[in-house]
């Protein structure tokens, strides 16, 4: 594939990001997915002008099929059982 074709594809396919303020509630001590890290990333993307060139993708719940592509079914079931009282969302 030539350089012009790659540039055409890049122009036609913007980079997307998924963000919701609820992600800031995922605050587990020592875990790399911290609210401070997320705020720093979003701040940098905004101040550098990159965020404005990206397409925001609305968040949605992952399906069980999607979750089991990267996690074992046993893990998905354990998390579901632990989160059952809070069924609206799994943090």
């Amino acid at each position: 594939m030539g350089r012009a074709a790659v540039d055409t594809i890049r122009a036609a396919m913007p980079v997307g990001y998924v963000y919701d303020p609820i992600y800031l509630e995922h605050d587990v001590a020592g875990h790399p997915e911290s609210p401070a890290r997320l705020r720093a990333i979003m701040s940098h993307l905004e101040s550098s002008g990159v965020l404005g060139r990206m397409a925001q993708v609305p968040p949605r719940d992952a399906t069980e099929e999607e979750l089991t592509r990267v996690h074992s079914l046993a893990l998905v079931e354990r998390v579901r059982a632990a989160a059952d009282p809070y069924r609206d969302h799994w943090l």
Side-chain angles (χ1 to χ4, degrees):
M1 182 178 301
R3 177 79 179 153
V6 170
D7 289 342
T8 299
I9 291 170
R10 283 188 183 146
M13 298 177 65
V15 173
Y17 71 98
V18 179
Y19 177 80
D20 189 287
I22 197 170
Y23 300 160
L24 298 172
E25 294 180 27
H26 186 77
D27 194 5
V28 179
H31 196 282
E33 294 176 3
S34 71
R37 179 176 174 264
L38 181 55
R39 280 192 289 274
I41 291 167
M42 294 302 289
S43 176
H44 178 73
L45 290 172
E46 189 169 5
S47 67
S48 66
V50 172
L51 191 64
R53 297 192 314 263
M54 296 171 73
Q56 185 170 8
V57 178
R60 64 170 180 77
D61 291 342
T63 66
E64 186 173 291
E65 178 188 353
E66 291 166 334
L67 292 171
T68 56
R69 288 180 194 164
V70 294
H71 301 291
S72 70
L73 180 57
L75 176 62
V76 171
E77 290 172 348
R78 280 199 315 267
V79 171
R80 180 182 291 126
D84 196 37
Y86 310 100
R87 198 65 135 158
D88 290 345
H89 60 275
W90 303 356
L91 291 180

